[in-house]
Amino acid sequence: MSAGTILLIEDEMEIADLLRMYFENEGFTLSHASSGEEGLKRLEGRNPRAVLLDIGLPGIDGIEVCRRIRGASEVPIIMLTARDAEVDKVVGLELGADDYVTKPFSPRELVARVKAVLRRSEERPISPDTVEAGGFTIDNGRREVSTPSGDTIRPTAREFDLLWYMASNRGLVLSRAQLLEAVWGYDYFGETRTVDVHVRQLRKKLEGLPLETVWGVGYRFDA
Ligand code: CA
């Protein structure tokens, strides 16, 4: 049984042949594309478990390919870089690559890195990272909210934590004490009014947010 497909986007045939041998020995199927354009096409059809992506490619380069993959997919990406300067670029641009190796690399090490990345990516919690309600999208990864009119709002850290907690418990009535405990923690000695102040700020920033005040109790998000 195949351990899954790894997509290699690399224009040097020698590297591709070498990696094919190593990955196939480990039970993977290696799908090789020699340009970014071809790689992007294959990504759709083959549904690989991970992508090995060379930066120096003819046509659209690996940086741009990485950006386009990330626009559409969460597949783990390992960048193959030729120089330390490229490593700086990969890290600095925050492209969303999961790891990188610098050429010349040992194929054995690359296989180990791929396995580690696969383990990590498959251990990721499957709880949703966004909640959509009333035309708002609350994005827990980016910690920002897009509004029905298309604006992106970044609440303060505490406001966001409060909003995310309520959105994750949508439809439930949450008391002020409960919210205080969940968002501010057991050790917090503040008053429950603190919750109201933060809710007021959220409502001001996010006009039309489906957040209801439940009189005498607390709040309910998107009932
Ligand atoms: Ca290259």
Side-chain angles (χ1 to χ4, degrees), residues 10-12 54-58 103:
E10 164 67 76
D11 58 319
E12 285 167 70
D54 181 32
I55 290 194
L57 290 168
K103 294 176 181 177

Side-chain angles (χ1 to χ4, degrees), residues 50-167:
V51 177
L52 307 177
L53 176 58
D54 181 32
I55 290 194
L57 290 168
I60 52 174
D61 70 7
I63 301 275
E64 181 57 24
V65 174
C66 185
R67 207 172 265 138
R68 292 195 198 175
I69 293 175
R70 268 296 164 267
S73 162
E74 292 288 305
V75 66
I77 301 172
I78 298 172
M79 307 290 287
L80 312 180
T81 64
R83 296 182 303 272
D84 286 347
E86 286 184 346
V87 175
D88 292 348
K89 207 170 171 189
V90 172
V91 175
L93 287 173
E94 293 179 2
L95 292 169
D98 294 82
D99 201 355
Y100 59 84
V101 293
T102 310
K103 294 176 181 177
F105 50 79
S106 119
R108 201 182 298 278
E109 192 198 330
L110 182 59
V111 170
R113 296 273 193 109
V114 167
K115 285 182 173 175
V117 162
L118 289 177
R119 259 196 314 276
R120 278 205 302 277
S121 74
E122 276 144 32
E123 276 165 8
R124 267 180 210 160
I126 41 170
S127 61
D129 220 30
T130 61
V131 169
E132 287 177 39
F136 291 88
T137 303
I138 304 162
D139 186 325
N140 190 36
R142 295 173 180 273
R143 296 179 67 80
E144 61 189 27
V145 182
S146 53
T147 68
S149 57
D151 294 326
T152 300
I153 308 288
R154 277 183 162 248
T156 65
R158 196 71 88 176
E159 287 163 8
F160 189 88
D161 289 343
L162 176 63
L163 177 61
W164 182 251
Y165 185 80
M166 294 189 294

